[in-house]
Amino acid sequence: MSTLSKAKTYEKVSFSPTAKLPLIDKILYAAGSGLGTNIAWVAFGYYLMYFYTDVLGISAVLAGTIILGARFFDAFTDVLMGWAVDRFNLPWGKYRSWIILSIAPITLLFIGVFTAIPGFSMTAKVIWSVVTYGAYGSIGATLCLIPMTSQITNMTKNVEERATVAGITTIFLNGGQVIVSSLMMPMVNLFGGSSGNMKQGFFWTSVVIALFSMLTLLGVVGVTKKYELNADGTPRPHLVSTEHEPVVRQVKNIVQNRPAVVLVIGVAFQYILQAIRNGSLIYVFNYYLNLPDFQPMAMFVTTVAMVVGAMLLKPVIHFVKDANRAFLITMALSVVFTMLFWFMCKGMGPSAAAASMKYGALFFVFTVNGLLTGLHYSFVLVLLPNVVEYGAWKTGQYQPGMIYALHAICLTVGGAIGAQLMGALLDMVGYVPNQAQTATALSGLLIVAFVIPAVFTAAQLIVQLFFGLSDKQVSRYAEENQARSSARQTVEHELSQAD
């Protein structure tokens, strides 16, 4: 690109509350944000517990403990990352610098998680699992996830554009669900060869996924440069932080942001239910329905339904006329259809349920539930930038790093609690790996996979009732914040000219 055309590209960037983002920027950012690290968490959610129990031979309770411990340490580093994003300006951009630093550790550590080293004792397997999984979350994903998700608050102040990006991001999130849920086990079987070497299969599958993830992150690094740097490589003026509040004051500002507190508490419930639901479905297909070969097809269809649900995000918000109100309605419907699936399975019994799951009534309910799940999981990406704007309006401090760090902590802790709880529940219902299950265990698997997630969805719905922030209010706050920022930059420029 010539110097002139490069300068024009940078001049086109607008941070107005009404400015539109180029479509290619939306797609590349959404692809990285939706797939970059999240595709790994999808793989962990669906298959890590299974890898630990049925491939490495670790007990379900111990496997859950490994995941829980690693994720709680990850929560500590999330706080540090949020603080660092708000405070520091690195040479390659306030947000994208961290993503650049994260790419190598993310790629290598993800492969390490699914590596079963020959000859390792059980103790060595546990240590290796703790180190690789723990380092992936606390180092690799933390360096990337918080800066990348915070970045949308800088790319656009337009509430409508943020909703559009959230919808596209969720399409990629659910696309990752499609890739992992429907293709990962077939890839494992393919790479495992005719001998069915699961260890070899998981290793080479993780290599493919890691390289795919790396490409999406490189796309984000490329497309976001102009939003963070001027054409000459200097930082955009509004991203230069010269005054820094103490950490205690930053925490107080967060506490004053009631919608943010409500949202992140509810999101913690969401990630608990997501971890339990995703991790337990393979057990339901393998043991209750006895349809291990049909599981990839069922997951493909339901995750395509999740993509459709994500695509409906903006139309649903327009129809209901408020994002939070639409969120509440979606959660209520999700509880209804999740419990309907459980009631139908219980009423039919395993054999009839298996028959109905193969494109019958049960399959239809499962697919509708997938559509609602895709819509449900999309709303947090719309509401997070909104609470950032509200916090800036109320306290005068822009805190995307800290707020997105809280979201990452919810993802981390919620996923850890969900995995630990699922491991404990599997043990409680009498699940025994690679064995025919008792009637009690089969019934328990259904409860773990459907009833427990429905309970946590209901809990999230109740918490979200206290959100109290409408889309109209957010648009007004964004305009006022932009006016304050422009006035401050004008004063700073006049003072520098005077000097």
Side-chain angles (χ1 to χ4, degrees), residues 322-325 386 467-475 477:
D322 185 76
N324 186 53
R325 191 182 306 124
N386 291 357
F467 186 67
L469 183 62
S470 70
D471 290 355
K472 290 182 179 180
Q473 290 173 310
V474 172
S475 295
Y477 297 151

Side-chain angles (χ1 to χ4, degrees), residues 218-292:
L218 291 173
V220 174
V221 168
V223 77
T224 56
K225 183 177 181 180
K226 60 180 177 289
Y227 296 97
E228 299 189 48
L229 302 175
N230 296 310
D232 61 359
T234 57
R236 292 283 186 179
H238 68 283
L239 292 178
V240 178
S241 302
T242 56
E243 297 182 7
H244 304 290
E245 289 192 324
V247 174
V248 173
R249 181 58 190 168
Q250 291 184 41
V251 173
K252 287 182 178 179
N253 289 342
I254 295 291
V255 172
Q256 292 180 43
N257 190 336
R258 181 174 59 87
V261 174
V262 168
L263 183 65
V264 297
I265 291 173
V267 167
F269 287 125
Q270 176 179 313
Y271 285 119
I272 292 173
L273 76 90
Q274 187 174 340
I276 295 173
R277 178 183 180 275
N278 290 353
S280 58
L281 283 177
I282 189 170
Y283 296 97
V284 172
F285 276 94
N286 282 1
Y287 296 104
Y288 187 88
L289 298 174
N290 195 25
L291 294 173

